[in-house]
Amino acid sequence: MNHPDIGRWLVDPLKISRIKRPVDTLVLADAGLIANPTETKPDLWVEQKDRQQLYFRTPLNDLSGGYYASDPQRAFNRHNQRCTGAFADGHAAAARVSTFGFQYFPGKDASGAPATGIPALGGNGKYDPRWMWDPE
C-alpha cells in the first residue's frame, strides 16, 4: 500500500480487519510530487513532472515529522482531472482528489471534537468522516 498512514511505514501496519470503513478508505492512489504544496484546494495542485515516488502523503504526515509539507507526494488528478484510487474493500474509482478530503485536516469527528487521526503518527485518535484516507 502506498498510503503512509496505514501501510508499511507504521511500526505496526494496520490489518484490513482493523479498518472500520474499508469502502471509504483510500489505500492506493495515483500520486505525484506537487509543485504548489501550500495550495489548499487539492484539485488545483500542480505536479512536478517525472518526480513522483511510490507513495502519497496525507496531512496527518505533518504531525509525524512535517513530511506533508517537506515531501509533498500527494494523490493527483492525472487522468482527465481524476485520480485513480483503490480502496481497502478492493474497489477502485476515478474521482477528483478533492473528494478524498485532504483539505479537511485537521478536522472534526462526528461529535464536533477536534480530529487529528491515528495516534501512531501523532494524532489524537479522532477522525473526520470526510477523510477518505481515514484508517479507522
Side-chain angles (χ1 to χ4, degrees):
M1 295 184 295
N2 69 344
H3 183 316
D5 296 0
I6 60 179
R8 65 187 199 130
W9 283 271
L10 291 180
V11 173
D12 181 23
L14 291 180
K15 294 182 179 185
I16 295 294
S17 61
R18 285 186 54 199
I19 297 174
K20 292 179 182 171
R21 293 186 333 260
V23 71
D24 291 333
T25 303
L26 182 72
V27 295
L28 293 168
D30 268 341
L33 183 65
I34 301 304
N36 57 338
T38 58
E39 172 59 57
T40 59
K41 297 176 182 170
D43 292 332
L44 298 179
W45 289 338
V46 175
E47 179 184 26
Q48 293 184 38
K49 296 289 183 195
D50 301 320
R51 299 283 313 274
Q52 70 272 15
Q53 296 292 323
L54 299 174
Y55 54 88
F56 69 93
R57 300 221 181 257
T58 69
L60 183 54
N61 289 151
D62 263 359
L63 296 178
S64 62
Y67 301 117
Y68 190 66
S70 68
D71 183 25
Q73 300 285 342
R74 300 186 185 165
F76 183 72
N77 290 327
R78 180 172 287 117
H79 305 287
N80 234 5
Q81 290 303 303
R82 300 286 185 270
C83 177
T84 304
F87 293 77
D89 72 337
H91 87 277
R96 295 181 71 77
V97 173
S98 58
T99 65
F100 301 147
F102 296 106
Q103 67 273 32
Y104 300 117
F105 186 89
K108 298 202 179 291
D109 70 6
S111 72
T116 55
I118 192 168
L121 293 175
N124 66 1
K126 297 184 185 304
Y127 302 92
D128 189 312
R130 298 172 292 182
W131 302 339
M132 297 296 283
W133 42 272
D134 168 14
E136 298 186 303

